[in-house]
Amino acid sequence: MSNDGLTDITVSQIQELIRERYFASDNDRGTGGTFLYFMEEIGELATALANNNRRRSEPTPEERDNLEEEFADVIAWLCTLANINGIDLTKALTKYTDPTRVEGVKD
């Protein structure tokens, strides 16, 4: 299925793509070093969100592109952390897809 000419990708597919491309170097770096890169990307996403929310207006096309890039980077580094720690994110996400597992919401 496509959305605006883009191909939909599953969590499993993106995790496998990241594994195929980067596992050797990511695994050599280890969890500690990889977590630092992940947090750096979280910081970049936080900055992009804060900059856009400060203005209280819709992001410019350039800002929207930057937001998309930062969200993608966070997901990619999360996949990396999962890969080097032997976590299947699709399986982990059943926490949210199984209605008997999660109840309520955070305020």
Side-chain angles (χ1 to χ4, degrees), residues 18-83:
I18 297 297
R19 181 188 331 275
E20 289 172 3
R21 290 186 183 172
Y22 306 112
F23 184 80
S25 60
D26 292 339
N27 197 49
D28 285 345
R29 183 184 320 103
T31 298
T34 300
F35 187 76
L36 291 175
Y37 281 119
F38 175 65
M39 293 310 296
E40 178 181 346
E41 293 302 336
I42 294 282
E44 291 175 10
L45 176 58
T47 298
L49 288 167
N51 288 342
N52 287 307
N53 287 326
R54 236 179 248 120
R55 267 195 345 270
R56 297 185 187 267
S57 62
E58 289 296 312
T60 66
E62 294 79 18
E63 290 168 332
R64 169 73 54 195
D65 288 346
N66 180 248
L67 280 170
E68 289 177 1
E69 181 178 330
E70 298 308 338
F71 274 102
D73 289 349
V74 166
I75 290 170
W77 283 102
L78 181 62
C79 287
T80 293
L81 281 168
N83 285 340

Side-chain angles (χ1 to χ4, degrees), residues 94-103:
T94 62
K95 172 182 179 180
Y96 294 99
T97 59
D98 179 349
T100 65
R101 290 193 60 193
V102 175
E103 295 180 19

Side-chain angles (χ1 to χ4, degrees), residues 3-17:
N3 180 10
D4 296 330
L6 303 174
T7 302
D8 288 344
I9 188 166
T10 66
V11 172
S12 181
Q13 289 170 324
I14 189 66
Q15 187 172 359
E16 184 58 29
L17 182 142

